[in-house]
């Protein structure tokens, strides 16, 4: 009980820390916590994940809506508790700072509270109210026996789905221009394929079975008879399978649109006369888009193949496909309070995160983390210069990119000002008495928000992220690394943790994100966030040779019945695996350099019979302790761009010689295989 209270409970004080904490008590609690998660009966050389995390599940409560619950889940609970207590349920007291108190009493907070309130009061765990309010002209064939395709308009429905964040056939969004990241462009892409990679539809029957089950659950929630349900599921699955094949470009199909290409909207319309892009952009943007507007097209061959598919598809089947994708997008199964809170966090996080930052930003912590991040960045620069498989030209470009990489730690000085928040909030047009109408208005606000930046210049220092979401990230187009305030909390970070623990968890995160600057995606962007080929052909070839080792290694972690898909899964997670393996090496090297200069520092923790360097690796591994919901691991394996927590620990450490030295793992043991993979 004491452990859960320690992790989850938040005792707010005016100096923004835990009541009564001291350096000694913090280290004592951290040592007890880390020890409680371990299963010390496991040989660390056999399975370090089980050794580090074997008892994690015993100390966690698991919400039914979660697929898995790890350290980020702990941090998210802490943020959610603040949002619940201080914003949504209006339980804040004079214990908060004067500045925070002023914001909590603002009309903007009252607007958030009103939306949350009507959501809790009116939301039903059914899809019908959403369908009724969405009110697409003509309705849906599976729900209307007199449905006619005369009013069916696939362009309109595609746009309306995009307005609620759904994916269907075509994606449009505003982002930094690929050749000049200081300005924006409208991108027109194939819509992201939900749940699974398109290639898996051909490779594995299990994927089709899972998708069929998903379609059945969504469509079946409308109360169809068994015969009609089975036919609809079969028709929608057939279309999904054909759509997946549209994404798979034939080697012979080397069309002139197989790249990013700028053109006017009018010129685009001439190339694809059967797709009304102008009307689609008008729907999604919420404003009239000039036909002379420059847009950026990606993968033109996809749109050619898409029209072939649509021309051979019955309108009824296409409409039912859209209804399925709509049902997939709206969340109706979560407990109402959780769902409603998640909605305000997702769409109003720029404001909720601002309040959280105001309450918890600590410049002492920010400066501590900046120093840690700078040490890791410097180590990575050294590693690149010493790497013998990339040539001098590529090294020079990589050095420029690292030199220009911006570190954004905590609530940075260029965060949104409250005046900007108020201006942004004035654009949200809620219906204060109707949740469902407000829901669609809020989602449209989020989707249309980037279009207001179309003609504005970009500054690399602007983060503009959802500060209420717990995540650290690297931005390709801005070449900056963001570590928000909500990550700089226990149990991941505390100013008084020994550096062995700081570098093992937070330092590894920093190294992981820095490595993304030169992974499979990062190496296609230069120091200014522009897409440019700055790797030489020789360095490129050597890079691919090394990544193939990681692809094969992580493919071996997939279940036996997924062998046909193993290579695809290994390839889909390879960028994250590169970042994991590079991040742990950078952080360990940076920590060793720091400790060499501070040998008298107390770098162990009470209750743990481990050296400082062993503690480093334990801190890393426990960052990935997870409780996984039964039945969800298969979907996660097939859809996540990350390997599982277990495989991230085992895969990363089994490639790292320094880990084996610290725990005396003999060559040939499971955690110290003779063959190791390394990129950086």
């Amino acid at each position: 009980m004491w452990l859960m209270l320690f992790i989850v409970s938040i005792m707010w004080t005016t100096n923004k820390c835990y009541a009564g904490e001291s350096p000694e008590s913090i280290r004592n609690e951290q040592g007890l916590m880390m020890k409680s998660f371990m299963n010390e009966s496991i040989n660390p050389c056999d399975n370090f994940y089980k050794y580090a995390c074997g008892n994690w599940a015993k100390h966690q409560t698991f919400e039914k809506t979660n697929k898995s619950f790890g350290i980020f889940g702990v941090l998210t609970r802490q943020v959610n508790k603040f949002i619940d207590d201080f914003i949504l349920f209006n339980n804040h007291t004079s214990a908060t700072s004067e500045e925070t108190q002023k914001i909590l009493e603002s009309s903007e907070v009252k607007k958030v509270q009103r939306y949350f309130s009507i959501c809790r009061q009116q939301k039903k765990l059914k899809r019908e109210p959403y369908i009724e309010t969405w009110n697409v002209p003509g309705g849906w064939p599976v729900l209307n026996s007199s449905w006619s395709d005369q009013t069916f308009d696939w362009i309109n429905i595609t746009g309306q789905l995009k307005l609620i964040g759904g994916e269907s056939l075509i994606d449009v969004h505003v982002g930094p221009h690929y050749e000049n990241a200081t300005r924006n462009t409208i991108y027109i892409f194939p819509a992201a394929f939900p749940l699974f990679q398109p290639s898996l539809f051909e490779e594995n029957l299990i994927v089709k079975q899972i998708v069929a089950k998903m379609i059945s659950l969504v469509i079946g929630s409308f109360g169809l008879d068994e015969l009609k349900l089975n036919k609809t599921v079969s028709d929608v699955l057939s279309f999904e399978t054909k759509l997946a094949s549209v994404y798979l470009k034939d080697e012979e199909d080397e069309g002139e649109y197989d790249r990013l290409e700028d053109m006017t909207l009018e010129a685009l319309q001439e190339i694809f006369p059967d797709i009304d892009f102008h009307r689609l952009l008008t729907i999604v943007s919420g404003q009239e888009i000039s036909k002379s507007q420059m847009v950026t097209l990606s993968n033109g061959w996809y749109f050619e193949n898409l029209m072939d598919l649509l021309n051979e598809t019955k309108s009824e089947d296409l409409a039912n496909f859209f209804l399925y994708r709509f049902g997939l997008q709206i969340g109706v199964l979560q407990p109402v309070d959780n769902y409603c809170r998640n909605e305000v966090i997702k769409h109003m996080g720029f404001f909720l995160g601002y309040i959280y930052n105001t309450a918890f930003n600590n410049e002492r912590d920010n400066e501590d983390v900046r120093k840690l991040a700078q040490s890791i960045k410097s180590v990575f620069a050294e590693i690149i210069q010493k790497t013998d498989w990339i040539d001098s030209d590529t090294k020079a470009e990589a050095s420029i990119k690292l030199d220009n990489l911006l570190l954004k730690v905590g609530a940075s000085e260029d965060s949104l000002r409250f005046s900007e928040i108020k201006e942004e909030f004035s654009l949200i047009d809620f219906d204060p008495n109707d949740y469902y109408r407000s829901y669609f208005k809020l989602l449209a606000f989020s989707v249309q928000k980037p279009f207001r930046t179309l003609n504005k210049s970009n500054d690399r220092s602007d983060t503009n992220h959802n500060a209420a979401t717990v995540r650290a990230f690297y931005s390709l187009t801005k070449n900056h690394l963001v570590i928000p305030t909500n990550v700089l909390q226990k149990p991941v970070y505390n100013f008084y943790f020994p550096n062995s623990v700081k570098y093992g968890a937070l330092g590894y995160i920093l190294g992981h994100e820095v490595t993304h600057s030169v992974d499979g995606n990062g190496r296609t962007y230069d120091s200014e966030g522009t897409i440019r080929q700055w790797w030489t052909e020789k360095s490129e070839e050597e890079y691919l040779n090394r990544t193939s080792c990681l692809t094969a290694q992580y493919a071996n972690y997939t279940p036996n019945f997924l062998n046909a898909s193993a290579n695809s899964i290994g390839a889909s997670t390879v960028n994250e695996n590169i970042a994991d393996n590079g991040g742990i090496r950078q952080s360990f090297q940076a920590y060793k350099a720091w400790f060499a200069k501070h040998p008298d520092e107390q770098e162990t923790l009470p209750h743990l019979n481990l050296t400082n360097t062993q503690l480093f690796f334990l801190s890393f591994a426990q960052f990935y302790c997870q409780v996984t919901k039964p039945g969800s691991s298969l979907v996660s394996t097939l859809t996540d761009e990350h390997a599982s927590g277990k495989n991230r620990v085992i895969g990363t450490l089994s490639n790292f010689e320094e880990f084996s030295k610290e725990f005396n793992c003999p060559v040939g043991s499971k955690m110290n295989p003779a063959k190791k993979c390394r990129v950086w």
Side-chain angles (χ1 to χ4, degrees), residues 243-256:
L243 181 61
S245 68
V246 171
Y247 286 77
L248 307 178
K249 185 173 183 293
D250 294 332
E251 291 183 5
E252 298 178 359
D253 186 19
E254 295 295 336
E256 62 178 300

Tab-separated table of all heavy atoms in Angstrom, residues 243-256:
chain	number	residue	atom	x	y	z
A	243	LEU	N	-7.805	-2.488	-50.436
A	243	LEU	CA	-7.189	-1.185	-50.167
A	243	LEU	C	-5.739	-1.355	-49.719
A	243	LEU	O	-4.868	-0.570	-50.106
A	243	LEU	CB	-7.993	-0.440	-49.096
A	243	LEU	CG	-7.487	0.959	-48.710
A	243	LEU	CD1	-7.507	1.885	-49.918
A	243	LEU	CD2	-8.338	1.546	-47.579
A	244	ALA	N	-5.481	-2.386	-48.927
A	244	ALA	CA	-4.096	-2.640	-48.485
A	244	ALA	C	-3.186	-2.856	-49.681
A	244	ALA	O	-2.038	-2.388	-49.703
A	244	ALA	CB	-4.061	-3.851	-47.557
A	245	SER	N	-3.704	-3.535	-50.715
A	245	SER	CA	-2.875	-3.800	-51.899
A	245	SER	C	-2.584	-2.534	-52.683
A	245	SER	O	-1.583	-2.451	-53.401
A	245	SER	CB	-3.565	-4.828	-52.805
A	245	SER	OG	-4.737	-4.285	-53.394
A	246	VAL	N	-3.444	-1.507	-52.545
A	246	VAL	CA	-3.219	-0.231	-53.239
A	246	VAL	C	-1.960	0.452	-52.711
A	246	VAL	O	-1.268	1.161	-53.446
A	246	VAL	CB	-4.451	0.691	-53.073
A	246	VAL	CG1	-4.166	2.091	-53.590
A	246	VAL	CG2	-5.649	0.091	-53.798
A	247	TYR	N	-1.638	0.206	-51.431
A	247	TYR	CA	-0.459	0.809	-50.818
A	247	TYR	C	0.836	0.140	-51.281
A	247	TYR	O	1.918	0.690	-51.092
A	247	TYR	CB	-0.530	0.694	-49.296
A	247	TYR	CG	-1.509	1.629	-48.635
A	247	TYR	CD1	-2.871	1.373	-48.662
A	247	TYR	CD2	-1.073	2.769	-47.973
A	247	TYR	CE1	-3.779	2.222	-48.050
A	247	TYR	CE2	-1.979	3.630	-47.356
A	247	TYR	CZ	-3.332	3.344	-47.402
A	247	TYR	OH	-4.221	4.195	-46.788
A	248	LEU	N	0.720	-1.062	-51.834
A	248	LEU	CA	1.912	-1.829	-52.191
A	248	LEU	C	2.276	-1.528	-53.633
A	248	LEU	O	1.644	-2.003	-54.568
A	248	LEU	CB	1.653	-3.323	-51.996
A	248	LEU	CG	1.131	-3.711	-50.601
A	248	LEU	CD1	0.866	-5.200	-50.523
A	248	LEU	CD2	2.130	-3.280	-49.531
A	249	LYS	N	3.305	-0.749	-53.801
A	249	LYS	CA	3.694	-0.283	-55.127
A	249	LYS	C	4.490	-1.365	-55.849
A	249	LYS	O	5.437	-1.928	-55.323
A	249	LYS	CB	4.541	0.984	-54.994
A	249	LYS	CG	4.921	1.634	-56.304
A	249	LYS	CD	5.598	2.972	-56.027
A	249	LYS	CE	5.927	3.683	-57.323
A	249	LYS	NZ	6.955	2.991	-58.091
A	250	ASP	N	4.079	-1.689	-57.076
A	250	ASP	CA	4.822	-2.650	-57.878
A	250	ASP	C	6.163	-2.056	-58.285
A	250	ASP	O	6.291	-0.857	-58.535
A	250	ASP	CB	4.038	-3.012	-59.150
A	250	ASP	CG	2.758	-3.765	-58.821
A	250	ASP	OD1	2.729	-4.441	-57.775
A	250	ASP	OD2	1.798	-3.669	-59.605
A	251	GLU	N	7.175	-2.938	-58.369
A	251	GLU	CA	8.513	-2.465	-58.762
A	251	GLU	C	8.476	-1.860	-60.160
A	251	GLU	O	9.244	-0.957	-60.472
A	251	GLU	CB	9.503	-3.632	-58.716
A	251	GLU	CG	9.797	-4.116	-57.297
A	251	GLU	CD	10.831	-5.220	-57.278
A	251	GLU	OE1	11.386	-5.531	-58.362
A	251	GLU	OE2	11.089	-5.766	-56.198
A	252	GLU	N	7.579	-2.360	-61.011
A	252	GLU	CA	7.509	-1.849	-62.376
A	252	GLU	C	6.784	-0.512	-62.449
A	252	GLU	O	6.864	0.190	-63.443
A	252	GLU	CB	6.793	-2.878	-63.265
A	252	GLU	CG	7.523	-4.212	-63.336
A	252	GLU	CD	6.757	-5.209	-64.175
A	252	GLU	OE1	5.659	-4.847	-64.679
A	252	GLU	OE2	7.247	-6.340	-64.348
A	253	ASP	N	6.053	-0.192	-61.390
A	253	ASP	CA	5.240	1.029	-61.395
A	253	ASP	C	6.054	2.217	-60.903
A	253	ASP	O	5.801	2.798	-59.868
A	253	ASP	CB	3.995	0.825	-60.519
A	253	ASP	CG	3.036	2.006	-60.598
A	253	ASP	OD1	3.150	2.781	-61.556
A	253	ASP	OD2	2.193	2.135	-59.698
A	254	GLU	N	7.065	2.595	-61.648
A	254	GLU	CA	7.923	3.716	-61.275
A	254	GLU	C	7.392	4.989	-61.930
A	254	GLU	O	7.971	5.539	-62.854
A	254	GLU	CB	9.373	3.455	-61.704
A	254	GLU	CG	10.021	2.280	-60.990
A	254	GLU	CD	10.179	2.528	-59.501
A	254	GLU	OE1	10.234	3.711	-59.079
A	254	GLU	OE2	10.243	1.552	-58.742
A	255	GLY	N	6.223	5.425	-61.483
A	255	GLY	CA	5.580	6.589	-62.074
A	255	GLY	C	6.261	7.887	-61.696
A	255	GLY	O	7.095	7.950	-60.806
A	256	GLU	N	5.863	8.943	-62.390
A	256	GLU	CA	6.503	10.229	-62.170
A	256	GLU	C	6.093	10.879	-60.864
A	256	GLU	O	6.644	11.897	-60.481
A	256	GLU	CB	6.168	11.178	-63.333
A	256	GLU	CG	4.686	11.480	-63.459
A	256	GLU	CD	4.400	12.447	-64.586
A	256	GLU	OE1	4.940	13.570	-64.524
A	256	GLU	OE2	3.667	12.088	-65.519
